[in-house]
Structures are given as C-alpha cells and as structure tokens.
Amino acid sequence: MCAEHFLRMQWRRINHLRTQEKLIVSGDRVVCACSGGKDSTTLMHVLARICDRKDLSLQVLSIDEGIRGYRPFELKQARKHAKILGLEHTILSFKEEFGQTLDQIVRTNKDNPPCSYCGVLRRYLLNKGAKALGATKLAVGHNADDEAQSVLMNALRGDVIHMARLGPKHEVPDFAGFVPRIKLFRNIPEREVAAMSILMGLNISFHQDCPYAGTAFRQIVREHLNELETQSTGVKFKLLKFLDELSPILRSSLKQGRPELCNKCGEPTSGEKCKLCEILADIAR
Ligand code: SF4
C-alpha cells in the first residue's frame, strides 16, 4: 500500500468505529489521555483533526507517575505536541495526589508488581482529572494489540467482570462519576499506529519501554501473542472478534442496575472495597 492509501484506510477504520459506536458525538468535551508515548501522542493529533469543529472541544491530560529516567522524556513529548496543536494540557502527579511517586511506592512495597499499583492509581487520576476538566469522553490510546492482550489476560485470570468492560467504549451506566472511556485505535495494530505517526509526519520520538514493563503479566502475554501471530496470522483480530461477540452477552447477564459502590470512597466496585482504597491502605502501611 502507498502512504496515501494506508492513511486513508486508517482514517476509514477510525471514523467507522467512531460513528458505529458513537465514540464522539456532537457536544462532546473530549479529554485525550496522553502519556507522551507514540500511541497517545498520535491519538492527540487524530483527535485534534476530529474535534476541529464548533460543537466539539479537546484538552489533553497526562499523569506523572514518578518513574525516573522514563516518564520525564514522555511528558516532555506530550507537552511539545499539545503546544504545537494549541491544546490546553494538564498534568497530575502521583506525588501530589498520593504523597509518593511510583518509584517510592515500589521501593517500599515489594509484594506486588509495580504495574498493579500504577494501573489502578493512574486510572483513578485520569478519571478524576477528566471529571475536573468537564469531560464527557476520555480518549485513550489503546490499540488492537493492547485490546487483544487484555482479552487473553482476562481469560487467563478468569476475570469475567473485567472482560465485560473491554471494547471500544467503556461506561458505567447509572454512575455519573465515571467519564466514559473511548478507544479510537482499538482496531488498528500497534505497528500500524507507529507507521501512521511516521506517515502523518508527526515527528514523534519512540522512547524505550517503562523500566517496570518487564515485570508485568501483560508483557508475558504480549510476547506469547506476538509469537502466536507470527505462526498463525490474524489471531489478534480473532480475539477482538471473540470479544465483540461475547461482550454483549456478558454485559446483559452482568447487568444488575446500579453498580455496587465502595464502602469507603463511594466509587463503583465489584467487592466491598474498591481496588484504589485497598492500594491506598497498602501503601500507607
Ligand atoms: Fe505503569 Fe507498568 Fe505501564 Fe510502567 S509498564 S507505566 S509501571 S503500568
């Protein structure tokens, strides 16, 4: 495929998913969650084009987890691209919100892998930040590889509740405190997002992975899935198709009206206490 047809194909994928799933509709105030990595920085540019209309608005939100030698480079990139596009950019940090950087949390809590703290705390801060910015949608840079890995991870963990939350749009009905998350790149493989950013001339630097990534279960699943994909082309897309057929069934059978709320903070949870409160209690010990 030539560059022009490649980019046209990706825009078709994005626009098809956007309209089919109503990811962005008239009146939306979109917040782009941008880590400064290649996917979310490319997403920022894609959203800037989509939201260049009077009835839509766009802002950028980044989270500084406090990962030495890694996050500062990425945040610099996020800042640079938000400035190029003339977008308002907010940065929230673990240090200010939780009193500790991820590096500090990891040093004193060796029982759990760093990503188990990072993922929960980051998701909480993104939602909190998006809500404070008045967002109606929080756009994340997850691509087809990320989604296929999540399907497999949830299957391997036997986690039906998290499996039901996957898909291009995640919302918590009957709970206004959760800003719906949308994934415009959900049908685009990781390598094609990277190719898109190059062909769009975005000049995004590709930095090294997070130093903690090697300890993550996701990394193991990612390597196995890449290996499977080379032996049997299309397995990642088959996992996405599997999810698309399964999730309506899961969602309707799990639907029980208003979600359970954490007895400490009042956020939605599947147990008595939400994961965030468990982690905050854990790191305060
Ligand atoms: Fe956080 Fe893990 Fe991602 Fe690093 S790899 S940014 S620790 S979730």
Side-chain angles (χ1 to χ4, degrees):
M1 237 183 233
C2 69
E4 189 193 331
H5 283 99
F6 176 83
L7 285 177
R8 214 183 282 169
M9 178 182 82
Q10 305 305 351
W11 276 105
R12 237 190 342 258
R13 274 175 165 167
I14 292 167
N15 286 328
H16 177 72
L17 190 68
R18 178 166 66 92
T19 46
Q20 187 190 39
E21 301 288 332
K22 298 189 175 61
L23 300 187
I24 298 176
V25 294
S26 180
D28 265 339
R29 294 183 301 277
V30 182
V31 164
C32 172
C34 184
S35 65
K38 65 176 181 340
D39 295 335
S40 57
T41 310
T42 306
L43 177 69
M44 195 200 296
H45 283 267
V46 165
L47 283 168
R49 287 199 199 176
I50 292 172
C51 295
D52 189 18
R53 285 172 21 187
K54 282 202 172 62
D55 59 339
L56 296 172
S57 71
L58 176 65
Q59 294 186 59
V60 182
L61 174 63
S62 300
I63 306 299
D64 181 1
E65 302 92 343
I67 305 173
R68 250 185 104 192
Y70 169 67
R71 187 55 78 209
F73 295 105
E74 305 253 316
L75 287 175
K76 196 172 160 200
Q77 177 145 268
R79 245 184 251 116
K80 179 180 134 191
H81 285 265
K83 197 170 169 203
I84 290 170
L85 293 165
L87 297 171
E88 247 179 71
H89 184 202
T90 304
I91 303 179
L92 301 178
S93 74
F94 278 21
K95 180 79 182 167
E96 275 176 29
E97 182 71 24
F98 309 117
Q100 298 183 55
T101 63
L102 184 67
D103 288 339
Q104 290 170 324
I105 294 171
V106 169
R107 262 199 301 278
T108 47
N109 297 274
K110 299 199 189 308
D111 297 345
N112 296 308
C115 299
S116 63
Y117 296 109
C118 182
V120 173
L121 299 178
R122 180 157 29 86
R123 269 194 301 278
Y124 164 78
L125 259 195
L126 280 174
N127 191 60
K128 183 177 176 182
K131 238 186 324 183
L133 294 171
T136 54
K137 299 280 167 59
L138 175 65
V140 294
H142 293 199
N143 56 48
D145 288 57
D146 297 325
E147 188 88 330
Q149 288 156 19
S150 299
V151 175
L152 198 52
M153 282 165 69
N154 286 321
L156 292 170
R157 285 176 172 148
D159 192 336
V160 178
I161 291 176
H162 279 96
M163 184 77 93
R165 289 180 192 162
L166 295 177
K169 180 155 75 174
H170 173 43
E171 40 196 351
V172 181
D174 303 322
F175 187 72
F178 184 83
V179 181
R181 282 169 194 227
I182 54 169
K183 302 172 187 168
L184 287 157
F185 291 166
R186 191 266 192 179
N187 290 339
I188 306 182
E190 186 179 351
R191 292 171 72 173
E192 295 182 29
V193 176
M196 243 178 103
S197 79
I198 294 167
L199 295 172
M200 285 169 74
L202 301 183
N203 203 11
I204 295 172
S205 313
F206 294 8
H207 300 123
Q208 60 195 35
D209 281 343
C210 169
Y212 301 123
T215 62
F217 180 47
R218 180 176 286 276
Q219 188 65 17
I220 301 167
V221 170
R222 180 186 178 167
E223 282 164 16
H224 282 292
L225 202 46
N226 285 344
E227 182 63 35
L228 279 171
E229 182 74 31
T230 54
Q231 287 168 18
S232 174
T233 310
V235 288
K236 291 178 188 172
F237 274 118
K238 281 177 195 152
L239 280 172
L240 298 189
K241 187 169 173 283
F242 167 74
L243 174 70
D244 289 341
E245 288 179 15
L246 183 67
S247 54
I249 303 167
L250 289 182
R251 281 179 198 162
S252 67
S253 66
L254 291 171
K255 206 185 278 174
Q256 291 152 358
R258 216 180 135 71
E260 293 294 316
L261 302 180
C262 170
N263 59 19
K264 190 158 193 306
C265 71
E267 292 287 316
T269 176
S270 44
E272 283 184 5
K273 213 172 177 191
C274 72
K275 203 80 194 136
L276 175 77
C277 287
E278 277 177 23
I279 285 183
L280 292 180
D282 198 19
I283 62 179
R285 268 195 275 130

